[in-house]
Amino acid sequence: MRADPGSVEWGAAANWNPRDAGVDLWCGDLRYSPGDERVLTVAERQRADRFVVRARGESFIAGRSALRRVLAMYVGGEPRDLSFDYGPHGKPSLCGDNAAVRFNLSHSGDKFVLAVSRECEVGVDIEELRAERRLVEIGKRFFAPEEHARMCATGPEGLSDYFYRLWACKEAYLKLHGTGFSFPASDFCVALEPGTPRLEWTRLQEDVPTRWRMERINLPFEGYRAALCSEREGELHAFVAASPT
């Protein structure tokens, strides 16, 4: 039997070791713990305070705390001392001597996924499955015509799963490039089948579809879909992030 192309074995954070090749995936709960703020900057704490809904602010704090704690393992030093640069559309990167460590964080619902690599740029996305009845209309607006047709062809039983798997792949591609939706999601096309996902075509200037490796991520919890986009040649390792003590 052929192995599931999205399968990955999730290990404990204690099993992590630094390496120069491949991509590390991290996942965990967006669970706020008192004291998470101590690893954030003043600007990050102020940003959290601006959320009208307190739970959203606490999710931001939890996600930023997890990001800083994991990245500090790769570069050394204290999580609160990490400095970030930001691209034109807000994608963060580490500054100075730490810039060789590339990363991308995604969160949805009460979970997050983080991709980290010294080998290549990465884009990752996680999507919570929701009881949304307008998937066909949303897909028509945001998907390429081929993608929308394939999704509709799955029928009512397969439509939701196909939609969220495709959406995660498309977001991972956009997040890798750091464009957000300033580059229309209908201006590139992802094929989910057969086998692993792949980028069929793109209107992104000077981009070559065969350059990118898209991968479905099977998560260690239910109710979510996730995908990774990268140029990795090294191995893919996965870890469940430890909760702060």
Side-chain angles (χ1 to χ4, degrees):
M1 179 180 294
R2 186 171 64 86
D4 185 335
S7 63
V8 61
E9 184 176 346
W10 292 87
N15 296 331
W16 174 82
N17 288 300
R19 58 201 179 100
D20 292 330
V23 174
D24 292 340
L25 293 174
W26 296 83
C27 77
D29 297 327
L30 276 180
R31 184 181 299 124
Y32 170 79
S33 298
D36 278 349
E37 294 96 336
R38 69 176 180 265
V39 303
L40 273 59
T41 63
V42 172
E44 288 170 334
R45 294 196 294 270
Q46 291 174 341
R47 179 177 171 183
D49 290 340
R50 288 195 292 270
F51 283 92
V52 176
V53 179
R54 181 177 179 180
R56 291 184 178 273
E58 291 183 346
S59 292
F60 171 80
I61 293 170
R64 203 69 173 188
S65 172
L67 173 66
R68 286 181 168 275
R69 293 176 195 277
V70 171
L71 291 181
M73 298 167 59
Y74 290 81
V75 303
E78 293 296 325
R80 63 176 172 270
D81 294 333
L82 296 178
S83 296
F84 299 97
D85 286 327
Y86 294 86
H89 301 284
K91 184 178 181 180
S93 59
L94 287 166
C95 296
D97 294 340
N98 296 329
V101 176
R102 274 70 64 86
F103 68 92
N104 193 227
L105 173 69
S106 177
H107 53 82
S108 182
D110 60 358
K111 305 291 184 182
F112 75 86
V113 172
L114 170 66
V116 186
S117 179
R118 292 183 182 274
E119 177 188 351
C120 58
E121 190 60 70
V122 289
V124 71
D125 188 62
I126 181 173
E127 297 292 334
E128 181 182 21
L129 301 180
R130 297 183 176 91
E132 171 62 67
R133 298 181 180 179
R134 297 178 53 250
L135 297 182
V136 173
E137 291 84 355
I138 295 171
K140 187 174 183 179
R141 177 182 177 188
F142 289 102
F143 294 166
E146 301 98 311
E147 294 171 329
H148 187 250
R150 292 168 190 152
M151 181 187 74
C152 293
T154 64
E157 298 80 9
L159 190 143
S160 178
D161 180 67
Y162 195 97
F163 175 93
Y164 284 107
R165 286 197 292 130
L166 179 58
W167 189 277
C169 287
K170 291 177 75 69
E171 280 267 27
Y173 176 75
L174 293 173
K175 294 185 70 182
L176 180 145
H177 287 288
T179 65
F181 283 100
S182 65
F183 179 70
S186 59
D187 278 1
F188 65 99
C189 182
V190 174
L192 295 184
E193 308 295 347
T196 58
R198 70 186 189 282
L199 182 64
E200 283 192 308
W201 57 262
T202 179
R203 295 191 180 103
L204 190 62
Q205 189 174 7
E206 299 182 356
D207 196 23
V208 179
T210 54
R211 176 181 178 183
W212 306 113
R213 178 173 183 168
M214 286 192 171
E215 299 173 84
R216 185 172 73 248
I217 302 169
N218 284 344
L219 297 161
F221 40 79
E222 299 296 328
Y224 293 80
R225 299 292 181 265
L228 170 71
C229 184
S230 72
E231 292 181 280
R232 80 171 179 90
E233 295 183 1
E235 294 181 350
L236 181 67
H237 292 179
F239 306 92
V240 178
S243 300
T245 56

